[in-house]
Amino acid sequence: MNRPRDLHSDAREREHRDLVAFLQRHRPSTPPAAEDLSDRIMAQIEILDRETTAPQPRVRAQLRTHRRLVWLAPAAIAAAAMVTWLTARPALEVADIDDIEAAMIASWQATTDGLSDPDDESFALFTFDSTDEF
Amino acid sequence: MVVAVVSPNSSESSDRALVRACLRGETQPFGHLYRRYQHQVRSTLFQLCGEEHLDDLVQDVFLRAWKGLPGFKHSAKFSTWLYRIAWNVASDRRRDYAKRRERFQTAVANLPTESNRRSQLTQLHYQDLVQQGLAQLSLEHRTVLVLHDLEDLPQKEVAEILDVPIGTVKSRLHHARAGIRQFLQARGIEL
């Protein structure tokens, strides 16, 4: 029952074999390479090799330096900001403190002078007489 | 034409050793790999791309191979990997092939009439016919035919090179053979 299919398959297989044999027998001849092709390729590879392998240690060192710089940068910025803040902040001198004290007293007096109405009960809550007992 | 045949088992371990030496930064072993495989690469590229810029294409394949060596998996076969690079290089030139095929089809259209075709055919060399037959196939079909039927690579390896299922290789091979057979028969060659 399989016989006709086998015959057909065999015939097709033979056809394939014949075709492949023809193609292999008459495959186009590959033209020869330029005489210096091998040298050219190896020269290119030497160049590539120098570009990719020789600079590698230098590149790695640069990367390490860059990484260090990256870590150093925030620390340096923070230190600089701290120094700037410390040096730029005005130091309170004794004279300044006296002035501030005088200004505060003057301000306080001005405030209490305007509000020292004996009829004002609300004010009485916040003032006391020297005769008051504690 | 004689194509150097590389014994698969003996060369594989040696290929790996050469690749390892290359990865240590030695360029000399790559020269051995070049000499070992340049015939196959050259022949394949010639069947796929024709003669134009053939040296440049071969150079391109080996330079790409050198650059790609760090990514080469040692479990793979070096020759399969190299064929794959050759296929990629050929694919990149696909437009050139299309133009060449167009020129070829124009030339075919200008062939003499049936009456004097027979005498004309006798003057044509079979090699030219095979080359023309290959040229009129699509790049995918041509590649499968070249790798399997001319370079004698097993279908499994062709599938690996092209990164397609083996069924696709079988199908393309069937169509490629039918196409070139039709082409040759139309030119009076009985197969």
Side-chain angles (χ1 to χ4, degrees), chain A residues 15-16 19-20 22-24 26-34 37-38 40-42 44-46 49, chain B residues 1 27 30-31 34 42-43 46-47 51 55 59 63 66 126-127 130-131 149-152 177 181 191:
Chain A
E15 279 179 8
H16 285 332
L19 173 68
V20 172
F22 180 86
L23 294 176
Q24 288 183 339
H26 302 294
R27 63 188 293 175
S29 303
T30 308
L37 181 63
S38 167
R40 252 165 37 202
I41 291 173
M42 292 313 290
Q44 284 286 321
I45 281 165
E46 290 286 348
D49 187 48
Chain B
M1 185 188 66
T27 54
F30 195 77
Y34 169 78
R42 187 174 186 80
S43 164
F46 173 61
Q47 318 290 344
E51 193 174 350
D55 282 355
Q59 179 168 325
L63 292 184
W66 172 261
Y126 281 166
Q127 279 191 352
V130 171
Q131 191 167 11
D149 286 351
L150 298 184
E151 294 296 318
D152 275 334
R177 282 172 175 171
R181 180 191 300 279
L191 293 163

Side-chain angles (χ1 to χ4, degrees), chain A residues 31-123:
Chain A
E35 279 183 17
D36 63 339
L37 181 63
S38 167
D39 295 338
R40 252 165 37 202
I41 291 173
M42 292 313 290
Q44 284 286 321
I45 281 165
E46 290 286 348
I47 292 168
L48 284 173
D49 187 48
R50 274 200 296 275
E51 283 174 356
T52 54
T53 57
Q56 268 183 0
R58 202 164 59 229
V59 169
R60 266 192 232 118
Q62 282 171 350
L63 279 174
R64 272 200 300 272
T65 311
H66 284 180
R67 254 182 241 131
R68 260 189 239 123
L69 285 174
V70 165
W71 282 107
L72 278 175
I77 290 166
M82 182 69 84
V83 168
T84 308
W85 182 69
L86 285 173
T87 53
R89 197 178 62 167
L92 290 177
E93 292 177 4
V94 178
D96 296 332
I97 293 168
D98 291 343
D99 289 344
I100 291 166
E101 196 177 336
M104 283 177 73
I105 290 167
S107 167
W108 173 257
Q109 281 174 345
T111 311
T112 53
D113 286 348
L115 295 172
S116 59
D117 181 1
D119 299 330
D120 186 353
E121 287 181 357
S122 63
F123 180 73

Side-chain angles (χ1 to χ4, degrees), chain A residues 27-31, chain B residues 1 3-4 37-51 54 57-58 61-62 79-80 82-91 97 100 131 134 139 142-153 158 161-162:
Chain A
R27 63 188 293 175
S29 303
T30 308
Chain B
M1 185 188 66
V3 176
Y37 288 107
Q38 62 105 6
H39 291 295
Q40 284 106 312
V41 168
R42 187 174 186 80
S43 164
T44 304
L45 285 171
F46 173 61
Q47 318 290 344
L48 296 180
C49 310
E51 193 174 350
L54 186 56
L57 294 175
V58 172
V61 168
F62 281 97
S79 60
T80 305
L82 195 62
Y83 270 120
R84 189 171 191 149
I85 295 175
W87 154 249
N88 286 334
V89 167
S91 296
Y97 315 149
R100 215 173 5 257
Q131 191 167 11
L134 288 171
L139 181 61
R142 184 163 66 244
T143 305
V144 170
L145 192 76
V146 166
L147 292 177
H148 185 267
D149 286 351
L150 298 184
E151 294 296 318
D152 275 334
L153 297 180
V158 176
I161 291 166
L162 303 180

Side-chain angles (χ1 to χ4, degrees), chain B residues 17-35:
Chain B
L18 290 170
V19 168
R20 271 196 289 273
C22 292
L23 289 172
R24 286 196 296 269
E26 298 171 39
T27 54
Q28 206 64 20
F30 195 77
H32 291 296
L33 287 170
Y34 169 78
R35 284 188 290 280

Side-chain angles (χ1 to χ4, degrees), chain A residues 5-20:
Chain A
R5 200 188 302 162
D6 286 343
L7 286 173
H8 180 68
S9 173
D10 287 349
R12 186 187 281 181
E13 197 54 43
R14 204 168 36 249
E15 279 179 8
H16 285 332
R17 271 204 307 272
D18 290 346
L19 173 68
V20 172

Side-chain angles (χ1 to χ4, degrees), chain B residues 145-185:
Chain B
L145 192 76
V146 166
L147 292 177
H148 185 267
D149 286 351
L150 298 184
E151 294 296 318
D152 275 334
L153 297 180
Q155 291 184 355
K156 192 179 167 213
E157 194 171 345
V158 176
E160 279 177 42
I161 291 166
L162 303 180
D163 196 22
V164 294
I166 198 159
T168 306
V169 172
K170 288 177 195 286
S171 162
R172 285 183 188 174
L173 190 59
H174 171 78
H175 286 106
R177 282 172 175 171
I180 202 162
R181 180 191 300 279
Q182 198 179 356
F183 176 87
L184 293 172
Q185 283 176 342

